[in-house]
Each structure stands twice: as C-alpha cells, then as structure tokens.
C-alpha cells in the first residue's frame, strides 16, 4: 500500500510539475527503501529464526502468586537490538508472515512450558496465554495445529490460552466462534483481549465462547486518583464478573492500582508493578525469587 501511495504521489508531483518534486520524492523514496529493507530482512530471518518469546507474569489477585504468563514476541535484530512487536508485527501481517511467526512461537511456548513443568519450576495450573493474529483464526486447521503442538510436548490443553482481538471476527463471526469453541473444548482457554477498546466490545462477548476478559490498560492508567476512571474500571470488572468471566487487569503499574483491582474482585493482575515481559531465562529467575508481599 505504501508503495502504491508513493507511486501515486510521484505521479501527481510529476503531473503538477511542482518544484518540490525532488524533495518530496526523495523523502518518499527513503521511506519505501526502508520498508523494502525491513521486508527483506523479515523474510530472510524467518528460516534462521531470530524471534524471541518473552514472558510477562500474570498474578493471582488473591494469593499474589505467579499463576501464569502472557507470551509476547520480540525480534532479535542483528544490528538494532531486541525490537518490540510495534516495530514489525504490522509489516509481518501485511506481507503474510505473521501466521508462520505465530505458529513457530506457539511451538516454542509449548516446548518451554513442557520443560518448566518437567523441572517443577511452575505451579501445576500454570498456563501461558498466547496472542493470536486475526489471520490465524480464519484457518480451520488451527485446532489440529494446536493439538499437534500440545501432543508433541506432552501438554494438556489447559496449559495454554489464546488471546483474541481484532476486527476480522465481524466478517466470519460464526465460523470463528465455532473454531474457538472447538479449541476451548480441548481445554485451551479463550480470552477477549484489550476489552473496552474499539475492537473488542460487547458484541464479541456475546458471540465468542470466551471464559476470560482482559481489561485494556488504558482503563487502569488514571486509577485511583481519577474518580471517573476508577468508576469505569470498577464497573467493567463487576460487569465481567456478572457474566461469570475470569477478569485479568492489564497494565497494573502501582500498588494502589493493584489494591483497587483486588478490592473490585479482579481475578488476575498483569503489569510493570510485577514485571515487564522478560526472556525465558529471566522468567525462570522470577519464578524462583517471586515472593508475594
Ligand atoms: P497486548 O496483547 O495488549 O500485550 C500487552 C502489551 O502491554 C505488551 O506490549 C506489554 O509489554 C505491555 N504492558 C504490559 N504491562 C504493562 C504496564 O504495566 N504498562 C505499560 N505501559 N505496558 C504494559 P508488547 O510486548 O510491546 O506487545 C504489543 C502488542 O503486540 C501486544 O499487545 C499484541 O497485540 C502484539 N503481540 C505481542 N506478541 C505477539 C505475538 O506473538 N503474536 C501476535 N500476533 N501479536 C503479538
Ligand atoms: Ca495480549
Ligand atoms: Ca492486551
Ligand atoms: Ca493490544
């Protein structure tokens, strides 16, 4: 799309004979070059696998123990360091690589989890919630693919969860809902991610078989100082609980926010207060050193 936009802009600039054509086109040219370079890098890095899975702990609001984690991808870039998803996920989606990347990450998570369980490094009910891209949910094979990963690593379905966002569902709501139901029947817990933001709304809850609601971190930011923000967060937690959903609050950064969420009845907490997403090695450290206080 960016390429098309650049062509169009150049065409217009030429047609209109603007003096600034040179300046204009070279800036766009640089942008296009950068994109082409990133795309090439992304493609070439798939087989060599420069992607890392980071883990962020999810805390039981009652006991304050680590009860699970969310897996979050990083690109271990050879010159630019460890890049967050915002730098490459959009591009990977656009050029159709995200399904491949996510599939590899899922297997990696299962392998890691299998190892942690064998060494008794995680509690028995510990689970990892994996983000799934929209494209993945249109593939009926997802159910089999998940089963294969779990079988390979000798894990029960309950060890992993899937976090769902995005707008695709609108198109094929019933097929997607069926697929997710099938996956959840296998024990894999489905969460609605980023709840309350544009893409994840009440319509989702009605149509999807989700058992967990993840309240987006934008709803936590002003809490507890801002009274309106606090009321909204409380109402969202109460609302979710009344639908028998398990509530995860993301983006908990302060002790006051944690206390507020616990008082409102949230089940699980996630955020920088406990830890940023970290490498699997650092996560092992967290597991062994975490003590609730
Ligand atoms: P998300 O699923 O909403 O993930 C939560 C994001 O919030 C993470 O950003 C995490 O680092 C950040 N976060 C967690 N706690 C706090 C906090 O207390 N304060 C603040 N300010 N931020 C917090 P990250 O890792 O950069 O991921 C961004 C997004 O990229 C994710 O949003 C998810 O949509 C996407 N993503 C990440 N990993 C994957 C993946 O493996 N596959 C796919 N398809 N998407 C992924
Ligand atoms: Ca997520
Ligand atoms: Ca989220
Ligand atoms: Ca998000």
């Amino acid at each position: 799309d960016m390429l098309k936009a650049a062509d169009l802009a150049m065409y217009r600039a030429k047609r209109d004979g603007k003096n600034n054509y040179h300046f204009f086109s070279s800036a766009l040219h640089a942008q296009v070059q950068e994109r082409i370079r990133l795309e090439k890098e992304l493609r070439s890095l798939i087989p060599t696998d420069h992607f890392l899975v980071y883990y962020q702990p999810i805390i039981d609001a009652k006991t304050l123990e680590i009860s699970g984690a969310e897996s979050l991808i990083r690109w271990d870039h050879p010159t630019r360091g460890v890049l967050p998803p915002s730098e490459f996920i959009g591009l990977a989606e656009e050029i159709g690589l995200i399904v491949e990347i996510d599939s590899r990450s899922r297997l990696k998570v299962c392998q890691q989890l299998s190892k942690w369980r064998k060494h008794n490094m995680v509690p028995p009910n510990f689970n990892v919630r994996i983000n799934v891209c929209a494209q993945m949910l249109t593939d009926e094979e997802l159910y089999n693919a998940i089963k294969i990963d779990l079988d390979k690593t000798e894990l029960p379905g309950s060890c992993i969860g899937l976090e769902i966002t995005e707008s695709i569902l609108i198109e094929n709501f019933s097929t997607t809902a069926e697929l997710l139901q099938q996956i959840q029947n296998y024990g894999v817990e489905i969460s609605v991610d980023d709840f309350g933001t544009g893409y994840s709304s009440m319509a989702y809850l009605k149509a999807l078989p989700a058992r967990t609601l993840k309240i987006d971190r934008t709803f936590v930011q002003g809490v507890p100082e801002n009274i309106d923000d606090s009321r909204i967060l409380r109402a969202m937690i109460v609302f979710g609980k009344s639908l028998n959903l398990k509530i995860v609050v993301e983006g908990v950064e302060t002790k006051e926010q944690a206390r507020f969420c616990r008082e409102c009845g949230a089940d699980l907490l996630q955020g920088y207060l406990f830890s940023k997403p970290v490498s699997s090695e650092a996560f092992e450290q967290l597991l062994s050193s975490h003590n609730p206080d």
Side-chain angles (χ1 to χ4, degrees):
D1 280 342
M2 204 187 254
L3 281 170
K4 271 189 221 137
D7 283 345
L8 194 65
M10 284 191 208
Y11 162 76
R12 283 196 185 128
K14 276 182 188 157
R15 183 195 59 193
D16 300 344
K18 295 253 165 70
N19 318 335
N20 63 356
Y21 164 63
H22 254 329
F23 169 76
F24 193 43
S25 74
S26 69
L28 267 167
H29 186 70
Q31 236 183 335
V32 170
Q33 287 303 312
E34 166 71 6
R35 194 206 128 107
I36 291 172
R37 198 175 54 76
L38 259 184
E39 180 170 337
K40 253 194 209 148
E41 278 179 2
L42 256 186
R43 285 192 195 279
S44 72
L45 286 178
I46 294 265
T48 54
D49 194 10
H50 276 63
F51 297 97
L52 303 171
V53 177
Y54 272 29
Y55 297 86
Q56 185 177 31
I58 296 179
I59 307 293
D60 184 309
K62 287 213 175 71
T63 63
L64 294 178
E65 304 279 356
I66 298 177
S67 80
E70 176 175 4
S71 64
L72 294 154
I73 197 169
R74 298 290 181 264
W75 178 3
D76 190 9
H77 192 278
T79 56
R80 293 164 60 199
V82 176
L83 302 179
S86 55
E87 304 256 339
F88 63 91
I89 289 261
L91 180 58
E93 275 172 359
E94 222 176 284
I95 63 180
L97 289 179
I98 189 66
V99 172
E100 174 79 20
I101 294 173
D102 275 355
S103 301
R104 282 166 183 259
S105 303
R106 190 179 61 234
L107 179 58
K108 254 185 247 176
V109 166
C110 290
Q111 287 164 337
Q112 183 63 72
L113 199 46
S114 182
K115 189 189 135 204
W116 283 338
R117 278 165 61 98
K118 280 199 179 105
H119 294 89
N120 286 318
M121 293 165 83
V122 290
N125 294 323
F126 184 91
N127 67 356
V128 178
R129 299 166 189 271
I130 302 170
N131 292 288
V132 283
C133 61
Q135 279 141 293
M136 194 93 108
L137 294 174
T138 57
D139 186 357
E140 288 148 45
E141 279 304 297
L142 180 62
Y143 173 75
N144 289 325
I146 289 176
K147 250 173 75 170
I148 289 171
D149 287 348
L150 290 169
D151 286 348
K152 227 187 255 177
T153 50
E154 298 171 57
L155 292 175
S158 57
C159 274
I160 61 168
L162 301 184
E163 300 198 348
I164 315 291
T165 35
E166 293 299 332
S167 45
I168 40 100
L169 298 169
I170 310 281
E171 258 176 55
N172 238 328
F173 233 68
S174 59
T175 327
T176 306
E178 251 168 62
L179 173 66
L180 290 174
Q181 183 66 65
Q182 197 186 9
I183 292 170
Q184 193 159 248
N185 290 346
Y186 198 67
V188 176
E189 200 176 272
I190 307 296
S191 310
V192 167
D193 199 0
D194 298 348
F195 184 71
T197 63
Y199 286 137
S200 293
S201 65
M202 309 273 178
Y204 272 54
L205 287 187
K206 222 167 99 86
L208 295 179
R211 298 232 175 90
T212 305
L213 201 63
K214 293 193 84 175
I215 297 178
D216 193 67
R217 67 182 153 84
T218 51
F219 294 97
V220 188
Q221 275 160 13
V223 175
E225 302 81 17
N226 185 303
I227 294 183
D228 285 341
D229 287 4
S230 303
R231 284 184 180 146
I232 290 171
L233 179 59
R234 184 186 298 277
M236 285 174 90
I237 296 171
V238 170
F239 163 79
K241 297 215 57 130
S242 73
L243 293 177
N244 267 328
L245 294 164
K246 204 188 284 175
I247 311 296
V248 187
V249 182
E250 306 187 292
V252 175
E253 293 185 354
T254 68
K255 285 198 165 157
E256 291 71 34
Q257 290 171 344
R259 191 184 311 126
F260 184 89
C261 294
R262 296 173 80 195
E263 279 167 10
C264 292
D267 300 284
L268 297 160
L269 309 175
Q270 181 182 352
Y272 293 171
L273 172 64
F274 309 101
S275 168
K276 293 195 170 188
V278 294
S279 69
S280 55
E281 292 82 10
F283 193 78
E284 290 174 2
Q285 291 294 313
L286 273 181
L287 283 168
S288 62
S289 66
H290 178 81
N291 58 49
D293 55 16

